[in-house]
Amino acid sequence: QKEVEQNSGPLSVPEGAIASLNCTYSDRVSQSFFWYRQYSGKSPELIMSIYSNGDKEDGRFTAQLNKASQYVSLLIRDSQPSDSATYLCAVIRGSQGNLIFGKGTKLSVKP
Amino acid sequence: EAQVTQNPRYLITVTGKKLTVTCSQNMNHEYMSWYRQDPGLGLRQIYYSMNVEVTDKGDVPEGYKVSRKEKRNFPLILESPSPNQTSLYFCASSPQGGGLGYTFGSGTRLTVV
């Protein structure tokens, strides 16, 4: 099993809809989880971090973590065309702070 | 402005010609890391450093070297580049153990012919 898995997409949603992005991870001892957004040809940008089970909301973004199921998700409410990007799930591996990424899910928001 | 600066942004070189990609951060971060990004493979870690003079291999270290002589700088060295090292490279830094997330540089697109 890969350390961090995401559906590659593309995921296409209409403008104003909720986009739901999912991620699973294999290391049960992982404690820190992140969502990055990457526009084509640009560097990854941190948009959410989550450390404990449950939901964390920041504006239109909600991160959800379920450690028992080893599952992290990102919800984007009221999706906008400017949200069209690749979303990367990342997990800290072990005690040395290595940040390991999934391959990303490409999101397309259609006007 | 807090940032991670990589140079050059674009580089075309020939097989076997040694090159260095520089990375510098002005945030006094302890952790620094190099990644390469390839289509279909995602971001893969090459090397990381937990502090000055402390470096370790990531998942794809073959063909690369790094050094961390100063806290702010973490250069990536390709002693004898080969075409399979053609990629988009990112440097990143974090204030501690990665637990607060990493800040990325703008990237270096390297082509080896």
Side-chain angles (χ1 to χ4, degrees):
Chain A
Q1 182 187 2
K2 290 185 170 46
E3 286 192 74
V4 183
E5 290 204 68
Q6 299 180 252
N7 290 328
S8 60
L11 173 66
S12 183
V13 301
E15 183 174 356
I18 296 175
S20 177
L21 303 158
N22 304 316
C23 171
T24 57
Y25 61 94
S26 61
D27 187 353
R28 286 195 168 274
V29 302
S30 295
Q31 297 294 322
S32 303
F33 307 89
F34 306 91
W35 283 99
Y36 283 79
R37 177 176 62 198
Q38 187 177 27
Y39 294 112
S40 182
K42 302 296 186 182
S43 57
E45 172 194 10
L46 180 64
I47 55 172
M48 289 290 284
S49 58
I50 188 166
Y51 307 101
S52 54
N53 281 330
D55 295 0
K56 178 181 178 182
E57 187 175 317
D58 184 359
R60 296 187 296 112
F61 298 99
T62 298
Q64 300 174 315
L65 175 60
N66 183 326
K67 290 185 179 179
S69 300
Q70 295 174 244
Y71 178 88
V72 193
S73 66
L74 179 70
L75 301 177
I76 306 174
R77 289 183 300 282
D78 187 24
S79 295
Q80 301 297 310
S82 58
D83 293 327
S84 297
T86 296
Y87 289 80
L88 305 168
C89 176
V91 175
I92 293 292
R93 171 206 278 163
S95 60
Q96 295 191 337
N98 291 6
L99 188 63
I100 304 303
F101 287 85
K103 292 183 180 179
T105 298
K106 187 170 185 177
L107 172 67
S108 177
V109 181
K110 304 294 187 185
Chain B
E1 179 188 354
Q3 60 186 1
V4 178
T5 303
Q6 289 179 236
N7 279 297
R9 289 293 310 277
Y10 302 92
L11 179 59
I12 300 174
T13 190
V14 296
T15 299
K17 185 175 181 182
K18 181 179 178 180
L19 67 91
T20 299
V21 184
T22 63
C23 174
S24 181
Q25 51 93 4
N26 62 0
M27 297 168 281
N28 201 35
H29 285 174
E30 292 178 352
Y31 276 62
M32 298 186 74
S33 186
W34 277 102
Y35 294 85
R36 61 178 288 176
Q37 187 172 37
D38 302 289
L41 297 177
L43 276 161
R44 294 179 293 167
Q45 191 178 51
I46 303 170
Y47 269 95
Y48 64 98
S49 171
M50 291 176 281
N51 215 324
V52 176
E53 303 291 1
V54 181
T55 63
D56 208 347
K57 296 176 181 178
D59 294 321
V60 289
E62 293 78 19
Y64 304 95
K65 286 176 56 177
V66 294
S67 68
R68 188 93 182 271
K69 293 183 171 53
E70 306 166 279
K71 199 171 188 178
R72 63 182 291 126
N73 295 324
F74 191 44
L76 179 69
I77 303 158
L78 285 72
E79 294 268 2
S80 182
S82 62
N84 65 11
Q85 293 178 298
T86 293
S87 188
L88 179 58
Y89 291 86
F90 289 104
C91 180
S93 72
S94 175
Q96 63 182 66
L100 298 179
Y102 280 74
T103 301
F104 281 78
S106 299
T108 296
R109 188 167 291 280
L110 172 66
T111 302
V112 184
V113 299

